[in-house]
Amino acid sequence: EVLRELRGRYCWTHIRDGLMYYGYSYSPMVKIITASCLALLLGACYLSPGWVSYLLLVPMLVPLIYLPRGYELQEDRIVLHCLLWRKTFLLADYEVRGLEQEPLLGGIRIFASGGYLGFTGFFWLPKRGRCSLFVADQRGPFLELTHRTKHRRYIINGSLGA
């Protein structure tokens, strides 16, 4: 029932292996922050000696692991696709709720990326508390997935509305 209601408002959609896949579009803010950071990184690598450039390069490439790419709808689960891994949310274990507006800019980054390659990591949000974000577009809409027993909270781009 929840899966029938899930629709992407601004995401590109296609069928992959018979399942709905919603690919993310990145917001202008994410694109500007990412391009600026990459330009600074390349400039620093060009101007610095060989081994120092590698020290600068490694921390800037680690967030690629968590780059949100989209989500896939299956009968009993939602699968979040990041660039180098996937996170599966079984609908029996998670309560899924749609959030139209969630101010991410008022949150506190605990261990997270605040726009470089998306908004990913652990945040504290005023209305939600501590949660993990995998967001490509901070303007929303969002899906909030809360584990029923452990109360871990995840927020991803997505929509319950048509």
Side-chain angles (χ1 to χ4, degrees):
E1 68 201 64
V2 172
L3 292 181
R4 276 183 259 152
E5 296 177 11
L6 286 167
R7 300 283 185 265
R9 289 199 176 167
Y10 55 89
C11 302
W12 52 269
T13 306
H14 68 275
I15 305 287
R16 181 168 58 187
D17 297 326
L19 302 169
M20 290 301 294
Y21 179 83
Y22 296 88
Y24 290 148
S25 297
Y26 297 92
S27 69
M29 183 177 182
V30 168
K31 290 176 183 177
I32 290 169
I33 291 171
T34 301
S36 301
C37 289
L38 290 175
L40 288 172
L41 170 69
L42 292 175
C45 287
Y46 179 75
L47 296 173
S48 64
W51 65 272
V52 175
S53 64
Y54 292 116
L55 290 176
L56 295 172
L57 188 61
V58 170
M60 294 298 285
L61 294 178
V62 169
L64 275 172
I65 297 169
Y66 303 103
L67 175 69
R69 301 293 300 145
Y71 64 98
E72 182 180 313
L73 304 179
Q74 298 182 11
E75 296 261 341
D76 60 343
R77 67 192 72 202
I78 296 173
V79 181
L80 173 69
H81 290 267
C82 293
L83 187 63
L84 298 176
W85 68 282
R86 297 177 194 178
K87 170 72 176 158
T88 300
F89 301 97
L90 295 174
L91 296 179
D93 296 337
Y94 286 88
E95 178 184 335
V96 181
R97 213 167 65 109
L99 303 173
E100 289 303 315
Q101 293 292 328
E102 185 66 27
L104 300 182
L105 299 178
I108 298 171
R109 284 182 283 161
I110 298 171
F111 185 74
S113 167
Y116 174 67
L117 299 173
F119 293 87
T120 58
F122 298 108
F123 284 77
W124 183 88
L125 299 176
K127 294 181 181 178
R128 303 276 166 235
R130 189 174 65 93
C131 55
S132 297
L133 266 64
F134 295 95
V135 173
D137 190 340
Q138 78 281 5
R139 299 170 295 184
F142 306 103
L143 287 178
E144 178 182 49
L145 302 112
T146 306
H147 196 278
R148 296 182 194 278
T149 57
K150 298 177 184 174
H151 304 291
R152 290 186 186 141
R153 184 171 294 144
Y154 298 86
I155 296 178
I156 67 172
N157 281 117
S159 175
L160 286 171

